[in-house]
Amino acid sequence: MLSQRVNAALVFIPLVLILIYLGGWAFNLFILLILLVATYEFTRLFKEMGHQPSLVMLLLGVALFVVQRWTLDDAYLVPLLTLLVLANTINGLVEYERGRDGAALGFVINLAGILYLGWVGGGMISLRALENGLGWMLTALPSVWLADSGAYFIGSWLGVKKMSPRLSPNKTWAGLAGEVVTGTLFGALLVLLWRSVGWLPAVTPLWQGAVMGFVLALVSAAGDLLVSLFKRTAKVKDTGNLIPGHGGILDRIDSWIWAALVGYHLVQLFAVI
């Protein structure tokens, strides 16, 4: 039986692939929507832990980061960060005066959530907006999906030693090895495929796809474990129940957002090598 993550990928892949292909406002609006839903789930998780994050400040901060990636250049990044830190400072002071003793920790959680889902999550828009963003987006995300499948099958077959028994008891070192090997292989094959249809330049070396697949396999595993940390601490099985039988949006995109942002920076690095 396939893991929930693989099943969910099979549900989302057609929609996500269509929107990646379309790009532009349709893709960006979709990313904004799923990140806002994920923000709601993030806030709910920390409230389950007994903390007091502000849903309004989190939604506003994530939305502003997405808009910055969508419509503004990076010159606006520092002013935006300054504004968000100041706004959350004022919110924390007001919340404490209103009787919320957890306002200080709420301030920290707000900023962490905004950076996690706004800055990291917004990387999906940045990667797709690159000159060859279609090809690189269709290298980064599918290599992660396929690597995840490799982790499941290899881990089920050969996995004995647990990698992180407290956070994710089903993860094994063999599964991680299978994830890395699968991601590396398919990263190179995807570059070869997109070169053949013109979505990446014909001179794009296969090693770039292999490096991307290798790095993103490791990064996606860390992203998955981070959300497991949230859920274990909150003592819940899933981040939400938006997708019957598959949990919440944050459960589904925990590795995607890291893959896109790190993939974006890898493409920038490839350009100067």
Side-chain angles (χ1 to χ4, degrees), residues 150-182:
Y152 174 76
F153 288 114
I154 299 298
S156 300
W157 178 32
L158 299 174
V160 175
K161 187 172 179 56
K162 304 295 185 182
M163 185 176 74
S164 184
R166 289 193 68 197
L167 287 175
S168 188
N170 292 328
K171 287 190 180 297
T172 64
W173 288 106
L176 178 63
E179 186 170 9
V180 170
V181 170
T182 306

Side-chain angles (χ1 to χ4, degrees), residues 5-23 27 30 134 138 141-142 145 199 256:
R5 289 176 60 81
V6 175
N7 285 333
L10 294 175
V11 173
F12 274 109
I13 281 174
L15 174 62
V16 173
L17 290 179
I18 290 170
L19 289 167
I20 291 173
Y21 178 78
L22 292 174
F27 174 76
F30 172 72
L134 175 59
L138 289 175
L141 292 193
W145 301 335
W199 291 351
W256 301 12

Side-chain angles (χ1 to χ4, degrees), residues 98-161:
R98 292 173 59 187
R100 290 198 173 186
D101 293 336
L105 190 53
F107 165 80
V108 175
I109 296 169
N110 289 346
L111 289 180
I114 289 169
L115 288 173
Y116 172 49
L117 292 167
W119 172 251
V120 178
M124 290 189 281
I125 290 177
S126 296
L127 180 58
R128 180 60 183 87
L130 291 173
E131 182 179 357
N132 297 299
L134 175 59
W136 284 120
M137 193 77 176
L138 289 175
T139 300
L141 292 193
S143 69
V144 167
W145 301 335
L146 292 164
D148 191 56
S149 299
Y152 174 76
F153 288 114
I154 299 298
S156 300
W157 178 32
L158 299 174
V160 175
K161 187 172 179 56

Side-chain angles (χ1 to χ4, degrees), residues 231-242:
K231 292 188 291 186
R232 293 287 177 185
T233 307
K235 295 180 172 57
V236 298
K237 182 177 182 294
D238 298 309
T239 61
N241 55 10
L242 183 64

Side-chain angles (χ1 to χ4, degrees), residues 212-272:
M212 178 171 284
F214 174 83
V215 173
L216 297 190
L218 294 173
V219 168
S220 66
D224 182 26
L225 288 172
L226 176 62
V227 172
S228 293
L229 172 62
F230 297 157
K231 292 188 291 186
R232 293 287 177 185
T233 307
K235 295 180 172 57
V236 298
K237 182 177 182 294
D238 298 309
T239 61
N241 55 10
L242 183 64
I243 311 168
H246 298 296
I249 289 293
L250 188 53
D251 286 309
R252 307 282 67 86
I253 68 168
D254 53 5
S255 59
W256 301 12
I257 59 177
W258 284 104
L261 181 62
V262 175
Y264 168 79
H265 290 297
L266 283 173
V267 174
Q268 301 286 72
L269 179 62
F270 293 155
V272 299

